[in-house]
Amino acid sequence: NTALHAAVNKGNLELVNILLESLNNSNQEDKDHRKIYKLDIDKPNSKCMNATALHLAVWNDYNEIAIKLLQANANPYLKMNDVSNAFDLA
């Protein structure tokens, strides 16, 4: 479970927005020279039928979150457990 999965599961649009902002600041160093790693928006959650954050948003009817994820280039064609993509769940 990633931070993005958890934020989507809770329907926390504000936290989703903060996490998606990290996409713009990826693979850089902060002022203390700590590496900032890119968020994998399409990472499947192996403990939840390989659902991506977009699957979870659509599944839970979090439409605003789903739109934000799509605007951040989440892939709607990825399949959850090789069966259902986000369109199927919608």
Side-chain angles (χ1 to χ4, degrees):
N1 203 15
T2 67
L4 184 59
H5 285 99
V8 172
N9 273 329
K10 295 287 185 183
N12 190 331
L13 179 60
E14 183 178 346
L15 183 53
V16 169
N17 282 329
I18 290 168
L19 292 168
L20 291 177
E21 283 179 21
S22 74
L23 287 171
N24 297 326
N25 301 320
S26 62
N27 298 328
Q28 298 175 7
E29 290 185 1
D30 68 7
K31 64 180 180 172
D32 296 322
H33 304 290
R34 293 176 296 196
K35 187 89 168 161
I36 299 172
Y37 293 95
K38 183 175 181 177
L39 172 72
D40 182 358
I41 197 168
D42 290 321
K43 183 171 179 67
N45 183 346
S46 61
K47 296 184 182 199
C48 185
M49 301 184 305
N50 290 320
T52 65
L54 181 58
H55 287 118
L56 297 174
V58 172
W59 192 342
N60 290 301
D61 291 327
Y62 297 140
N63 297 329
E64 287 183 69
I65 293 175
I67 290 167
K68 289 289 184 183
L69 292 168
L70 289 168
Q71 289 171 338
N73 296 319
N75 185 344
Y77 299 102
L78 292 177
K79 293 195 175 189
M80 186 173 71
N81 272 0
D82 294 323
V83 178
S84 302
N85 64 32
F87 294 113
D88 297 326
L89 296 174

